Amino acid sequence: MADRPKKTDLIPIGEMARRTGLSVSAIRFYEEKDLIEPIRTSGNQRRFLRSDIRRVSFILIAQQLGLALGEIEEELRKLPQGRTPNARDWQKISRSIRSALNTRIAQLERTRDKLDGCIGCGCLSLTHCQLYNKDDHLAEQGPGPRNVLG
Amino acid sequence: MADRPKKTDLIPIGEMARRTGLSVSAIRFYEEKDLIEPIRTSGNQRRFLRSDIRRVSFILIAQQLGLALGEIEEELRKLPQGRTPNARDWQKISRSIRSALNTRIAQLERTRDKLDGCIGCGCLSLTHCQLYNKDDHLAEQGPGPRNVLG
DNA sequence: ATGCAATCTCAAGCTAACTTGAGGTCAAGG
DNA sequence: CCTTGACCTCAAGTTAGCTTGAGATTGCAT
């Protein structure tokens, strides 16, 4: 009557995909990025733990909140033993996400207000227009993609 | 005493870069994307009109407001003769940008509110968590970059 | 006429978050 | 045993917005 491992405890990648809604390739990609670490069968196939579903849920939610995969990995790595986040971890993380969201919202609101003040002027001058000032630039330096609005 | 073209009317790319703050390569890139269309000297060097500075200003401002280059090109193409936007054009365009900004702000606020309602729960369940529902997905389909938060 | 900075045209690289494809292996059912 | 679907590992492609570099010209000043 002791606990013995049920076969459903080890989940192959295809089922993982079905259960999370991700594609198989995306799951492999997340492993490559150290977001999940499945074990392997003797034949080198991935097997996931039940808790990995929760872990992937966390990744997907954090992504929706606007975190990049690298940032998500950092959050996960901060946890003791790099375990899947529990309720208390989630509280801490989500508070920090919340403040990032607020910052972003405030930034967009400032932009909108400038735009309002500018709609009538039509100056479009690099030197005078309020909308064009380096301090408030959203653009990062260097190459790579930028995308701010949906 | 008739108007005769001053030499300063035709601006080479380097000066264009100085005046707009862009790099030379970025300006060439914008041309490739049909955002600007400089004329050429007999020796195939680019020469810009004064109005192109204004046009580039428009591009930079629109970019800061979160428009992708493709969208900016569309806006410019909508204008009669594809001319550089004047005050009236700018009013029309900026109003439509404003509403996009508002949509985005509202979306982020909804997300934040869900997060607030969720901070205590820690459920992280794909099937139950409010934060995870497909309807509200920010993610697009297909490959390519995503980036939502700063 | 000449020298040198400024330009020119490709081609390739960068980042993010994946997808697609080729070519080969595993495992469960019949 | 054999078939077949699920897996595996690379390698390369995609999008956006540029940058970097190589190798060749141009154009202004002396």
Side-chain angles (χ1 to χ4, degrees):
Chain A
M1 316 273 199
D3 295 339
R4 89 201 114 120
K6 308 162 209 154
K7 53 169 170 268
T8 55
D9 278 350
L10 291 177
I11 311 172
I13 199 169
E15 200 185 328
M16 199 62 181
R18 270 197 318 94
R19 293 224 218 167
T20 59
L22 285 175
S23 63
V24 167
S25 65
I27 295 176
R28 292 204 187 104
F29 179 74
Y30 287 168
E31 180 188 4
E32 199 184 328
K33 293 287 167 178
D34 297 320
L35 291 164
I36 37 181
E37 237 182 320
I39 54 182
R40 301 291 182 127
T41 65
S42 54
N44 198 34
Q45 297 199 350
R46 291 169 182 83
R47 288 298 180 264
F48 296 84
L49 301 176
R50 293 178 152 283
S51 67
D52 283 331
I53 298 185
R54 198 186 187 76
R55 195 177 171 92
V56 168
S57 307
F58 170 74
I59 296 170
L60 294 175
I61 292 172
Q63 247 191 321
Q64 274 192 81
L65 293 177
L67 297 201
L69 291 186
E71 298 169 320
I72 297 174
E73 199 250 314
E74 274 179 51
E75 292 292 347
L76 287 171
R77 200 149 34 83
K78 275 183 205 157
L79 301 176
Q81 299 97 38
R83 65 168 139 67
T84 292
N86 64 21
R88 187 167 268 313
D89 300 326
W90 172 239
Q91 276 185 36
K92 271 191 73 174
I93 294 172
S94 53
R95 272 185 225 287
S96 104
I97 292 176
R98 192 196 133 91
S99 94
L101 269 176
N102 276 332
T103 302
R104 182 81 186 103
I105 290 171
Q107 191 180 37
L108 288 180
E109 278 169 347
R110 276 201 313 280
T111 299
R112 184 192 52 193
D113 293 345
K114 281 188 187 173
L115 182 59
D116 281 348
C118 200
I119 280 184
C121 86
C123 64
L124 285 179
S125 154
L126 278 183
T127 43
H128 299 98
C129 185
Q130 275 199 83
L131 277 166
Y132 194 84
N133 74 68
K134 301 272 179 190
D135 314 342
D136 206 31
H137 252 188
L138 304 178
E140 297 95 273
Q141 67 297 0
R146 303 112 177 67
N147 192 7
V148 183
L149 241 61
Chain B
M1 314 265 195
D3 294 338
R4 92 201 108 119
K6 307 162 208 152
K7 53 169 171 266
T8 54
D9 277 350
L10 290 177
I11 310 172
I13 198 168
E15 200 185 328
M16 200 61 181
R18 270 198 317 94
R19 293 224 218 168
T20 59
L22 285 175
S23 64
V24 167
S25 64
I27 296 176
R28 293 204 187 102
F29 179 75
Y30 288 167
E31 180 188 4
E32 198 185 329
K33 292 288 168 179
D34 297 320
L35 291 165
I36 36 182
E37 235 181 322
I39 54 183
R40 300 291 182 129
T41 64
S42 55
N44 197 35
Q45 298 198 350
R46 292 169 181 82
R47 288 299 179 264
F48 296 84
L49 301 174
R50 293 180 152 283
S51 67
D52 283 331
I53 297 184
R54 198 184 187 74
R55 195 177 172 92
V56 167
S57 307
F58 171 75
I59 296 171
L60 293 175
I61 291 172
Q63 246 191 322
Q64 275 193 79
L65 293 176
L67 298 201
L69 291 185
E71 298 168 320
I72 296 173
E73 198 250 314
E74 274 178 51
E75 292 292 348
L76 288 172
R77 202 151 31 84
K78 275 185 208 156
L79 301 177
Q81 300 98 36
R83 67 168 138 64
T84 293
N86 64 23
R88 189 167 268 313
D89 300 325
W90 172 239
Q91 276 185 38
K92 272 192 70 174
I93 293 173
S94 54
R95 271 184 226 288
S96 104
I97 291 176
R98 193 196 132 90
S99 93
L101 268 176
N102 277 331
T103 302
R104 183 80 187 107
I105 289 172
Q107 191 181 38
L108 288 179
E109 279 170 346
R110 278 202 312 279
T111 298
R112 184 193 52 194
D113 294 345
K114 281 188 188 172
L115 183 59
D116 282 348
C118 200
I119 279 185
C121 86
C123 64
L124 285 182
S125 154
L126 279 183
T127 44
H128 298 100
C129 186
Q130 277 198 81
L131 278 167
Y132 194 85
N133 74 69
K134 301 272 179 189
D135 315 342
D136 207 32
H137 252 186
L138 305 178
E140 297 95 273
Q141 67 297 359
R146 303 111 177 67
N147 192 7
V148 183
L149 241 60

